[in-house]
Each structure stands twice: as structure tokens, then as C-alpha cells.
Amino acid sequence: MSTEAYHNQVNDLEAQMISNTIEFVQKSLAPIAKAIDEDNHCPVELFEAMRKLGLFGVAYPTQYGGSGFKVSTAMRVISEIAKESAGLSLLLIVHWMAIDVILKYGTQMQKDQYLTPLIQGDKIAAYSISEATAGSDAMGLKMTAEKQDDLWVLNGAKYFVTNGAVADLFVVTCMEKPLTEMKSSRPQHQLFIVSKETEGLKVTEKLDKMGCRSSSTTNLILNKATVRPEDVIEGGTRAALYGLVGGRLGMAAMGIGIAEAAFEAAVNYANDRKVQDKPIATLYAIQEKIADMHILLQGSKALLEQSCVKRELGQDYAIEASVAKVAVGKTVQKICYEAVQIMGGHGYLKTNPVERYSRDARLMDIGVGTSEVIKMVIGNYILKKGKRAEDK
């Protein structure tokens, strides 16, 4: 098979993956989207269908059971799912964060043991960093890991654990020692793969959230939980932060899916709604809103695509993913706001999915790093880059 024929075949398979995802969303997810939001229910009943479609391993190596497709294809899958259930797309985003870290920083034994069941969806992962006093401040963690004989003993609590109630394993970030006992003023992380069966591990009740309610979010308590040295992920702080980069890329894709759904709803409403026998789409005020929404959406898609390309090329895409997430956050908030505005009182009703989109969109400025903190990272990077240019 020629190189051109191979790429054409891959493109055809990726197009089929997108088509299958859209069909799954329309036939299986859309009919229950409102109910799972109201019931704060993660639709585990759909997991088997998702496994058969390969949705748990879209962009991961075939040697571990993945499809080996482009990252942009995986992000399109996230966007399509988010159009009906942002919470279910969030499940995949966080699941992939754990896979990313194991794939890049895990030992060969960890890859052999964990990647295939995770990528095929036989096991679900959670990625646990946030704590009561350490959300975006990943350096302020209080959960500790202490070496005792041949085991590590973990103590502390994690908050806002996405996938908590459905996870089979948790990638948990700790401090190797309490900060007060460390010689260095800058703490270092340790990452552990912790099974839900681990003695001393307790998952709390589901949290009752404003949006993304089809995503299972809990707290996690570790009380003298013991972990084998074989389940330590090397890389420390670099590995912990690397997981967040992929998460921000996924969040941007999720936000675009929500924005597209709200935008399409607004366009349809504007064309159908009549005042004095004329569609409101003929009004300049409505046309201006639609134009602004479209421009924002196209710009955000371009930023996401730029991030995907850098990741596919094996380049550092941390800043690009951060820029995309912040930009999409602004885009989806604006589009959801204007969609409700165009629909007036109809958009404010809970029977209208735009109301749900508006609640789901709010997480974009909070999850996997607040926009304020990410802007600090972006600004610091740009200023240092400018300083280096001056020094030359």
C-alpha cells in the first residue's frame, strides 16, 4: 500500500469514527440528555456502546487497543458528544488525562498493565489533583505520600474528582513529604496509580453541581492507603502538570461543542420565530448577534486546531492549549448568553436545551485551571519570551 493510499484509508476511517459518533449522540444520547442532567446521573448504561465504537481510545496507539487517529479527530468526538451532554464529554477528557500521563511517564510495566484496559474502556480512570485548599494552585497540596518499608502510605482528601463514582483507578497527586518537613521551599509532587479496591480509599457521595451534571463528581479520601512502588508514576511535578495540558485541550473541544449547539439553536429560532409575519432573522440586531457569534466560534476552532497540530507533531503545546481554553471560555459564554437573548423568555425555560448549555458552559472558566490562573501562565510565558529576545 502506498503512503497516499494509507493516509486516504486513515482519513476514511476517521471520517467514519466521526459519523458513528454523531449517530451515537443522536440515537442514544440525545433522548436521555435532559433526564441525565436533571437526575445528576452519569450514563454508565452507554459505556458498552462507547467501547464498541472505540470512543475511549480514539487517538491512542493501536498497540494498546486504540484507533491511532489524529488528536483533532479525538477533539471532534469530544465536541460532538458535548453538544448533547457536556458531562459525558468531560468523562472522556479526564479519562484521557490519566492515559496521557501513563503513556508519557509510566514505566513499561505500568503501560502493559493499565493502558489496554483504559484505552479500550474496560476500566475508567480519574485524575485527582484538586483539594480543599489547592485547586488551581497545584503546588499547595496537602495530601502526602510517605515511604514505609516497601510501600507508600497516602493520607489526605481530594475534592472535585471527576469520574469519582465510576472510576476503577485514580491517578493521584501527592506531596512526598509535608511542606514543613521539606528542605526546599518549592514542593515536589509524586503521582500514584491507586485502585478503587485499595484499603483506606473512600469515594464520597456525588456532588450536586450547577452544570455538567451527567459527569460523576465526588470527593476522595485516602486514609493510610498503601500503594506499591510499582504504581509510582515517574516525572513528579512535570508529569502532574502534563496531564493538565491535555485536559485543557479537551476542555476547549468541549466548549466548542456546547457553543456550536447553542449557536445552531439560536439560528434555527431566529429563522422560525416571527414578529408581524416576518422572521426575527430579518432584524439587523439579530443578524449582528449571529455574525458576532459565528466570528467567535470560527476563531476558537482555529485555536483548537493549532493546538492539535502541535500535539500531533510531538511539540510542546501547553501555551497553545491554554490560549485555546481561555478563548473558548469567552466564546461559549458569549454565544450561550446571546442564544438566550435571541430566544428571550423561551431561552430561559428549563425545557429549552440552551438553558442547560448555559449552565454547562460555566465550567469552561473554572475546570482544569481557572481562566485567571491560566492567563497568569500565558502572560508570564510571553513576558519571559520577550525578555529573552531583548537579551539577545
Side-chain angles (χ1 to χ4, degrees), residues 128-332:
S128 304
I129 290 184
S130 295
E131 298 179 4
T133 58
S136 296
D137 177 20
M139 306 307 296
L141 303 182
K142 297 293 190 290
M143 178 173 281
T144 60
E146 184 178 355
K147 194 74 177 292
Q148 293 184 6
D149 298 324
D150 292 332
L151 297 173
W152 286 89
V153 180
L154 277 54
N155 284 288
K158 293 292 183 184
Y159 277 35
F160 309 126
V161 181
T162 301
N163 299 347
V166 298
D168 299 288
L169 61 88
F170 301 80
V171 173
V172 177
T173 307
C174 307
M175 293 303 176
E176 186 170 345
K177 291 180 180 179
L179 183 56
T180 54
E181 297 179 14
M182 296 182 69
K183 295 179 181 179
S184 171
S185 60
R186 185 173 179 83
Q188 291 295 312
H189 298 93
Q190 282 276 23
L191 271 71
F192 299 88
I193 301 171
V194 186
S195 167
K196 70 174 181 180
E197 309 296 339
T198 300
E199 186 175 352
L201 181 149
K202 179 183 178 182
V203 176
T204 68
E205 70 282 351
K206 289 188 293 184
L207 302 179
D208 195 9
K209 307 188 300 294
M210 171 184 177
C212 293
R213 291 170 56 80
S214 53
S215 163
S216 162
T217 307
T218 68
N219 296 329
L220 177 68
I221 298 171
L222 296 176
N223 182 19
K224 298 180 181 178
T226 56
V227 180
R228 306 176 306 166
E230 294 92 333
D231 287 326
V232 178
I233 299 176
E234 300 298 331
T237 299
R238 284 183 294 110
L241 297 180
Y242 179 76
L244 297 179
V245 177
R248 287 168 186 165
L249 189 68
M251 288 292 288
M254 182 184 84
I256 284 174
I258 299 169
E260 284 183 324
F263 179 67
E264 291 167 7
V267 168
N268 291 335
Y269 184 88
N271 281 320
D272 293 340
R273 178 78 163 95
K274 292 184 177 181
V275 175
Q276 297 180 349
D277 294 328
K278 290 185 178 180
I280 63 171
T282 60
L283 300 174
Y284 173 76
I286 300 298
Q287 294 169 0
E288 183 183 34
K289 289 181 185 295
I290 294 297
D292 287 342
M293 294 157 77
H294 177 72
I295 291 166
L296 284 171
L297 188 53
Q298 295 309 307
S300 291
K301 286 181 177 180
L303 288 172
L304 177 62
E305 182 63 26
Q306 180 187 37
S307 302
C308 289
V309 169
K310 290 203 73 171
R311 173 164 169 161
E312 286 162 3
L313 293 174
Q315 299 174 1
D316 182 359
Y317 67 104
I319 291 299
E320 286 76 11
S322 294
V323 170
K325 179 183 179 294
V326 173
V328 174
K330 291 182 177 181
T331 292
V332 69

Side-chain angles (χ1 to χ4, degrees), residues 4 9 20 29 45 68 77 96 121 183 195 198 209 215 282 383:
E4 182 180 359
Q9 182 187 44
N20 291 342
L29 187 55
E45 62 273 19
V77 166
W96 291 348
K183 295 179 181 179
S195 167
T198 300
K209 307 188 300 294
S215 163
T282 60
L383 291 168

